[in-house]
Structure formats: C-alpha cells, structure tokens
Amino acid sequence: MVSRHAPSVQQLESFLALAEELHFGRAAARLFLTQPALSRQLRALEERLDVLLVQRSRRHVEITAAGEALLPKARAVVEAMAGLCRAAGAHARQVDGRLVIGSIGAEAAMPYTRAILDELHTRHPRLRTSVRGLDLATHFDALERGEVDVVFLRPPVPPGIETLVLASEPRVACLPADDPLAGRDEVRLAELAGRTVVDIPPPCPRVWWRFWAADPRPDGSVVRYGPMVPDMEALLLAVSRGEAMAFLPAVARQFFPRPGVGYVAVPDLPPGTAALAWAARNRALPTVAAIRQAAAAVLRRTPAAR
C-alpha cells in the first residue's frame, strides 16, 4: 500500500548520499548521521514510495533498478528544495525603507556609482533611494548630522567616518586659462609654488582640504590661500577670474569644462581616490549595510577600478 505521506528532503538526501557512496558508513558520516539512523531514513523512504531502492548485504550495497530510475527525480526534488530555501532567504534579507545618498562634484555620474546603485536596486528592490548633491564645504557635516546616510566623495576623511575606496586617479592643476602654465601638457608641483590656492570655508575639515591643496608642499613650504569657495561652481569661477588655482581629480576635465579655465597634469602630485563613506556609528544599519555590500560586490567584479 502506497503511503499518503510524501518523502522528506532528509530521506531523499540519505538515498542520494548512499547511491553515491555505496557504503552505509561513508554515507552516514557525510550526512553527520549514525549508520542506524541512515538505515531508518532509507527504510522510511522505501515504505513511503512502496518500492525497494537498495539491496543490502554484509559485503556491499547495490542500488536496485527502481532506485536507479528514481535517482534523477530524487536529485531534482532536493535541488528544487535547496533553490526554494535560497530564494526565501534572499527575499528575507531584502531591505526596505529609505536610503539618502549624498554626492559631491561629479561623483553621481561616475561609472562606479551607477554600477553600485544598479546592484543595490537589484538586491533590494523595495529599498527607496534618493541622491542629493552636496557642496564641498558641508558634505562631511551632512553625513555627521544624518542629513544623508552615505556619501560618494573624495578622501581623506576626518575621524568618525569610514570609507570603501572605489577608484584611484591622477590629480590635475586647475588654472586660469591665461596662466603661462595653462597651455602646457604637464607641470611639476614645484613650478606651482607661490600660486594662491582657493580655500574652503568651515565646517569643511582642514585635513581634507590640505590634501587637495597639496599643503604643505614636499619642500615643507605652506600654501597661500585665497578666496573661500563653498562649491564647484564658485571654485571654477574664482579660477576663471584669475583669483586662485586648485587641484582637482583628472575627471574634472570631462565634467567641468569652463571658459577661462585650463587643466594641466601634475605627474609628481600623489593621486586621489574616490570612495563610499558613512558614519562609523551607522555602519550596521540595514540600509547602510546594504549599499556597502552592493559596493563590495561591484568591486569584486571589477577590481581594476581600484
């Protein structure tokens, strides 16, 4: 008489392990069972299917013709159940809610940013995101105050903020177009000594702007600062008017072409990096963890970006 109860996944797994090992001891060890427990699983499966699956003897184990015929079906059921559990787990791990993402300069348009946001939306379709452009002076303050959850920015960062580096690229000198050096393909950092550099007002951390101003210079000399500029447009305007110069990521050539402004490579200037940043105290928040994990997945696929 055929049992009304369907076989359990554990019973089918026991059958598959025994069919592969053809040895009760090895199959039981593989499944972390005792041999008597494995035998009970097989007997219960045979009773539920009302068919003999295994021929047992003191010397060896042999799968019957019926067992061989049912093996593919048993394997398909086990694989389907594993897939079901994976899908259920992925659904349970999906994050919902809202994530506010900050961006400075052209970071929102960079390939790594787009790839990370695509990955995030694929992983967590219920998560609502919004992107806010932030100015140079207050982007760290916005993160510290919780106005944004994460920021695509350019390190270094002050204490209390963690980063995941996404890319590295050279820095260039942003000069007034009528500067004698502006028509060159490249200049050395020493040739820019004495030129005034734009400044950034508070609350921007000085550790950040000193890096981007190359202050101090390799010879120990300090930078003379000029007008304070809160954002990129003010910076570019000050440079175009001949009031000061600046150092920017090389991608600025592409994203910020302006009349009266020229860009020149500075080969001996250390490169800058791009990063995803978050407040250290918020790293475990589900929404922040979700975008951190999405970014890490993108970097694993495209390590050359770093």
Side-chain angles (χ1 to χ4, degrees):
M1 178 178 177
V2 179
S3 170
R4 295 182 180 181
H5 299 291
S8 71
V9 173
Q10 187 178 20
Q11 291 166 354
L12 294 174
E13 288 174 338
S14 298
F15 174 46
L16 293 175
L18 187 60
E20 292 174 6
E21 300 291 345
L22 295 177
H23 188 281
F24 270 89
R26 290 194 299 269
R30 174 171 156 182
L31 296 169
F32 302 101
L33 297 173
T34 64
Q35 290 190 46
L38 176 61
S39 295
R40 288 195 295 273
Q41 292 286 346
L42 263 294
R43 283 196 298 271
L45 177 62
E46 289 175 329
E47 289 174 3
R48 290 192 174 188
L49 295 177
D50 196 27
V51 67
L52 185 66
L53 300 173
V54 178
Q55 291 282 8
R56 305 161 178 84
S57 74
R58 298 184 64 181
R59 292 181 174 274
H60 68 279
V61 174
E62 183 178 346
I63 305 302
T64 66
E68 291 288 353
L70 294 177
L71 268 174
K73 299 290 187 182
R75 189 172 292 110
V77 171
V78 170
E79 290 174 354
M81 288 299 295
L84 176 64
C85 291
R86 287 194 299 270
H91 182 78
R93 290 190 297 272
Q94 283 186 6
V95 176
D96 55 16
R98 183 167 179 259
L99 181 71
V100 182
I101 302 165
S103 170
I104 68 165
E107 292 304 294
M110 299 301 289
Y112 45 78
T113 302
R114 297 197 303 271
I116 290 168
L117 295 183
D118 287 345
E119 178 75 15
L120 179 65
H121 293 153
T122 297
R123 288 169 170 242
H124 304 287
R126 300 197 304 266
L127 179 62
R128 293 173 289 117
T129 60
S130 59
V131 179
R132 289 180 50 186
L134 302 174
D135 62 43
L136 302 178
T138 61
H139 65 289
F140 288 115
D141 192 51
L143 187 57
E144 287 285 4
R145 293 173 58 177
E147 295 172 8
V148 295
D149 300 304
V150 296
V151 181
F152 287 96
L153 50 65
R154 298 280 173 156
V157 299
I161 293 177
E162 298 176 341
T163 62
L164 177 63
V165 173
L166 306 174
S168 176
E169 68 173 308
R171 288 185 284 169
V172 297
C174 177
L175 297 167
D178 59 1
D179 187 294
L181 299 178
R184 300 253 299 268
D185 290 333
E186 62 180 48
V187 298
R188 310 300 293 182
L189 188 57
E191 296 179 86
L192 299 167
R195 279 175 167 75
T196 301
V197 178
V198 296
D199 203 357
I200 298 290
C204 180
R206 294 312 295 174
V207 65
W208 184 70
W209 192 240
R210 285 196 182 109
F211 171 81
W212 284 98
D215 181 17
R217 298 297 162 84
D219 63 1
S221 61
V222 296
V223 168
R224 183 174 72 246
Y225 290 100
M228 287 190 173
V229 293
D231 53 40
M232 278 299 300
E233 290 305 322
L235 182 152
L236 295 167
L237 179 60
V239 172
S240 70
R241 295 177 62 180
E243 297 174 355
M245 63 157 293
F247 295 106
L248 296 173
V251 75
R253 286 172 161 151
Q254 175 185 350
F255 285 97
F256 301 111
R258 296 292 187 277
V261 172
Y263 295 100
V264 184
V266 188
D268 59 338
L269 188 64
T273 57
L276 176 68
W278 57 89
R281 66 180 183 275
N282 294 333
R283 74 182 327 268
L285 291 178
T287 52
V288 174
I291 193 169
R292 289 195 298 108
Q293 292 160 5
V298 169
L299 291 178
R300 284 195 295 270
R301 293 198 298 267
T302 56
R306 301 182 70 174

